[in-house]
């Protein structure tokens, strides 16, 4: 197995230790078997500071089409809407033209659709211990009986809470709903209800998929 090499996203300005990336990779490897084979990471491999390769990331999806650049990283920042105090930014902002399609990062079940807070029209998908969050999308939320749905008629999107979504499926379009200064996707990730820096996940995905093509 190849020794894992650190990748740096210079536009994000992030650096991270091998230990941090390893922990993220092992957490990702704990996702349930959904539609493809995942290689099991052994204690011996952990001790050797290696991570799983093979098919683990071949069906993981980058979360937005027509991506242009990252506008705001994970962590504390000054408020983009004014004020001198710091606020915690719980995800990664990916700028794309308004109307660009958003794709599900991983296969999972929709556990929430909503449109009434700073996240705007958003969807939360659960994949094992992971929640992936997609904010500021176009469309609105409605109810039918006791069932809630998100609809973007122009984009041809209708999603229902409880619906299973495959990796890479279109789940919405980039918009400007909620608290935002421009069209972008706010992409958040939680593992065991704790926020994770999405840039770490993207680095691991890139390395896994690159190894799979070599």
């Amino acid at each position: 197995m190849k020794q894992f090499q650190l990748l740096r996203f210079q536009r994000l300005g992030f650096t991270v230790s091998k230990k941090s990336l390893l922990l993220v990779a092992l957490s990702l490897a704990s996702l349930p078997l959904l539609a493809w084979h995942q290689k099991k990471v052994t204690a011996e491999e952990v001790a050797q500071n290696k991570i799983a390769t093979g098919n683990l990331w071949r069906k993981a999806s980058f979360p937005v089409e027509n991506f242009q650049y990252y506008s705001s990283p994970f962590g504390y920042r000054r408020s983009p809407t004014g004020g001198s105090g710091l606020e915690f930014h719980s995800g990664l902002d990916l700028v794309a033209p308004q109307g660009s399609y958003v794709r599900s990062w991983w296969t999972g079940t929709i556990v929430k659709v909503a449109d009434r807070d700073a996240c705007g029209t958003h969807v939360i998908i659960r994949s094992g211990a992971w929640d992936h969050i997609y904010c500021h999308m176009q469309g609105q939320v409605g109810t039918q009986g006791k069932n809630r749905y998100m609809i973007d008629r122009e984009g041809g999107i209708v999603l229902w809470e409880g619906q299973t979504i495959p990796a890479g499926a279109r789940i919405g379009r980039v918009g400007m709903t909620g608290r935002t200064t421009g069209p972008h996707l706010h992409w958040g990730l939680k593992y065991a209800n704790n926020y994770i820096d999405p840039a770490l996940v993207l680095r691991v995905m890139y390395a896994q998929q690159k190894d799979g093509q070599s």
Side-chain angles (χ1 to χ4, degrees), residues 123-210:
V123 173
I124 301 177
I125 299 175
R126 181 162 295 160
S127 305
W130 288 84
D131 286 347
H132 25 128
I133 305 154
Y134 307 82
C135 297
H136 308 310
M137 295 193 296
Q138 298 189 33
Q140 60 189 18
V141 171
T143 60
Q144 186 176 70
K146 296 182 179 180
N147 301 314
R148 290 170 58 83
Y149 62 90
M150 188 278 282
I151 185 167
D152 173 5
R153 289 184 174 86
E154 186 177 344
I157 302 290
V158 180
L159 302 175
W160 294 84
E161 288 183 349
Q163 179 180 350
T164 298
I165 299 293
R170 287 175 167 176
I171 57 172
R173 293 187 302 153
V174 170
M176 287 186 61
T177 58
R179 182 171 172 256
T180 178
T181 59
H184 71 277
L185 172 69
H186 171 96
W187 183 43
L189 289 174
K190 281 184 172 182
Y191 180 76
N193 208 35
N194 295 305
Y195 281 108
I196 299 293
D197 184 347
L200 302 183
V201 174
L202 290 178
R203 289 186 181 116
V204 175
M205 284 173 56
Y206 180 80
Q208 292 284 330
Q209 292 174 350
K210 183 179 179 181

Side-chain angles (χ1 to χ4, degrees), residues 4-23:
F4 179 70
Q5 300 295 324
L6 288 177
L7 299 176
R8 296 176 184 271
F9 283 5
Q10 294 182 348
R11 298 197 70 165
L12 287 172
F14 289 149
T15 59
V16 65
S17 67
K18 289 184 178 181
K19 180 179 179 182
S20 296
L21 281 172
L22 178 62
L23 291 175

Side-chain angles (χ1 to χ4, degrees), residues 52-132:
T53 56
N55 295 330
L56 180 63
W57 287 114
R58 290 190 180 175
K59 293 192 178 181
S61 176
F62 191 76
V64 68
E65 298 180 12
N66 304 317
F67 168 73
Q68 295 177 327
Y69 60 92
Y70 303 100
S71 61
S72 187
F74 177 89
Y76 284 94
R77 66 177 185 180
R78 294 195 181 277
S79 172
T81 57
S84 58
L86 295 178
E87 64 179 20
F88 180 69
H89 186 232
S90 61
L92 179 64
D93 288 349
L94 299 89
V95 175
Q98 188 158 342
S100 298
Y101 279 98
V102 174
R103 291 181 178 269
S104 176
W105 164 65
W106 200 276
T107 299
T109 301
I110 297 174
V111 294
K112 182 182 179 182
V113 295
D115 62 359
R116 298 288 184 177
D117 57 20
C119 201
T121 299
H122 64 279
V123 173
I124 301 177
I125 299 175
R126 181 162 295 160
S127 305
W130 288 84
D131 286 347
H132 25 128

